[in-house]
Amino acid sequence: MAISRRAFLKASIATAVAATGGLTVFHASTRFDDANTVIIPHASHWGPFNAVVKDGILIGVQPLKELDAMPTEMLTEGIISRVYDKTRVQYPMVRQSYLANPKGDTKPHLRGQEPFVRVSWETALALVADAIQTTAQTHGNQAIFSSSYGGWSHAGLMRPQVLQGRFFNLIGGQSTTTGDYSGGASQVILPHVIGDMEVYSPQTAWPVIEEHTEVFVLIGCDPWKNNRIEFRVADHQMYPHWKRFADNGMQFISINPQCTRTDDELNAEWVKIIPNTDTALFLAMAYHAYKQGLHDTEYLTRYTVGIDKFIDHLLGTHDGIVKSPEWAADITGIPAEEIIKMTQLFASHKTQFAAGWSLQRADHGEMTHWSIINFAAMLGKIGKPGEGVGFSWHYGNGGMPQSGGTMPVGLSQGKNPVSANCPASRISDMLNHPGTPFTRDGIEYTYPDVKLVYNAGNNLLSHQQNTNELIAALNKQVETFICQDPWWCASSRFADIVLPATSTLERDDLSSGGTYSNDKIYAMRQVIQPYGESLDDYEIFRRLSEIFGVEEKFTDGLTYPEILKRAYSASSATMPFEEFWQQGHSPVAVPKSANGWVRHGDFYREPDQFPLHTTSGKIELFCQDIANFNIKDCPPMPTFLTPFEYLGNAKNNQVHVVSPHPYMQLHSQMANAKVREYENVQGRQYVLINQQDAKRRGIRNGQLVEIFNERGRVIAGAKVSDKIMPGVISLEEGAWLQFDSQGRCNSGAINVITSSQACSGLSQANSANTCLAFIQRCRDPESKNLAFEPPQVLTDHNTAPIAVTDVTLAVEGAAHQAELSPGEALFYQRCTLCHSAKEPRQYTKAQWRGITKSMFPRAGLNPAERKAVMAFLDENAKDAAPKQ
């Protein structure tokens, strides 16, 4: 359909795009002669690309094959389909009852139910500023809580949670989260066991794997799916290497309740295992290896501590339970003969173990990765070329050689005057039990008494387990809930004040990729004008900083373009900024030596010269530090502890529900994009169910089902398959919320039925994959899925403008910064670029030495600066001498 330029410009954006044939994926070789069409480089979690813009409107994307080995549908279709979607928040919005009486009864129980009122930015920011000041003056800054921990909103440096931390730290601070949902258990236990978090660590370089590895074991690990996205910019460079591994005859074995996309692509042998029982399996394999003399005594003596205690545990010396293959068979569902066969295969071949993070998102999740480490150490494999353990093969294109270069350095959060925190997955517990003490990694903390929640660029109501419990806790405890987001996601729908943020395409920024290789720097140039009245996150917090009198400190006295240029100049890039900005990317050289890098290789070659960052300097099969903590649900060596819910204690007809990451989304991002149509069933999140289970319940492929337990009920669409074992169903996380009149989530959001119980008192991490439920045919859906329908907005509501009143909140940031030592100042200025700074006392001196290996390059610190920071950390670490 032809349309004139004048009509095109006058029509609505949606109509104009439709009239020109819709949004398009353009081939990399396409040339554009139309003067009204421009090509603008950008980059995202899903990959780099050229945006094709006509008359100021995005009409398509052009993948860059030379930079992205496998562009995904999320890039080629998802980004463009959600930009102009009806789920965009176009204007500042305030919930009707909150606006009517912001200092009185705001009727919090109506969150998520009543209409919003469009207001001006002046009114919205006045309400936000007043709420912040009132909360701080009445309850202290600890009553202000940031749920914006994740940083996944977009791939740039100027992520909202960093900017939020910077703003609040300048006006007295805020309570924050610690840890995360992704690897919450292992990031606490593994520094004690093997000296590093491991879940966020680079993996052995792929040329080493290709040359040496004979057997590659995937344990709850799906790199084909999860490597589709990255925290920064995905380039999918590992995919050709994975294929070559398989084509060259490498044997892949997948231990998993469901057959994954990786299993199909790599022709892996699928070993079905009952969820939450991997610890029992690896204990049994360690037992068999010991009894059959397959263990490496010399390796265990030189590289580990605690072997005698661990062997006693395997033999049942103290608990009377022999950890034999027969014992594990009853728990795991894997026949004893198969456990024995796998043990012998792994012992006799060069074997690389790759474990996913999903394993430790479970009750007693600390035990699972630890048990894999102990088994691999029993066989003498850790640190050898092509062998050992790796816990990030499925993320960040683990395996790509590392440049070792410095990436761009953006604005930092600085030091937070408030020390109060809450483990990321314990927010409901915090809200329900303010002032209650809790322990994490052996340190006692106290939950803050939170009255205001600020949520920027993070979908809290999607991430947190037991959604109904969270909503009730928010309504009971929180006086003001502010959400800053481009879309009407669940968190926006349940907020009191909604500030419309621009999408990644509507702002300038910088990024880098990949997560571990660090071999490229990307320009994220603004593609289109802000949608509606949305503002980018930097501008929102700059305006708030202006209101509170800290704008000069917030901006460092620089303009936004100057901040980006400064960030780029701090990196290892050699291309002039102007050339880089025009081209869209700048390479960072990877030295040839990186092709031979082996995870834990230095330790294996020279354990005395390169000890691990554990207390002993070795792999701790039994950990005395954990024993000293005396935590009842976290023993000092890998132990199978019965989960609070699993098939071993299920009621009749219950199934175990696992909740892997989605294939077509990044958590809840892209749920509102066109790509959901690839997998949704009747417009809802699909659930994978085994043919036997479906037949027993009268469920057919494509029908709606209801999944329920005492925590909640969801409606999903059934996919009947032989790709999942009987007794287990798989419901991917990330669906948006929409409750019907019966309280059922009509969209299939998994966390409506998951438990918020912590996996243990050590890490306080989540146990999302420990979940039992019933499933049955749904015969009474009340409507189609309405999760992607915007809320009602009152257009004829007469609201008097609200102006900013005097803001008198005391700002002590400048005085406090003057008291910092040089190393302390550098730590809080340069090491807070992603998450808020961890307290030095959270780790020992040795653990900090392991963590800073990857932290320092990203912070752009030179040798002298690194020395100063380490001096500060050594003086304040968990095991530092008490200060006089």
Side-chain angles (χ1 to χ4, degrees), residues 864-877:
E865 291 170 332
R866 296 181 186 199
K867 185 177 180 180
V869 171
M870 281 309 311
F872 163 68
L873 294 175
D874 282 347
E875 187 179 347
N876 294 277

Side-chain angles (χ1 to χ4, degrees), residues 388-409:
V389 292
F391 300 97
S392 198
W393 283 102
H394 63 288
Y395 172 70
N397 279 277
M400 290 302 297
Q402 308 160 61
S403 74
T406 299
M407 296 297 101
V409 176

Side-chain angles (χ1 to χ4, degrees), residues 10 141 167 175 178 207-208 245 269 274 291 303 386 425 448 508 629:
K10 291 181 67 175
N141 277 66
F167 161 67
S175 297
T178 188
V208 178
F245 294 165
E269 177 187 343
I274 291 173
K291 293 294 288 185
Y303 298 101
S425 60
D508 286 330
F629 290 157

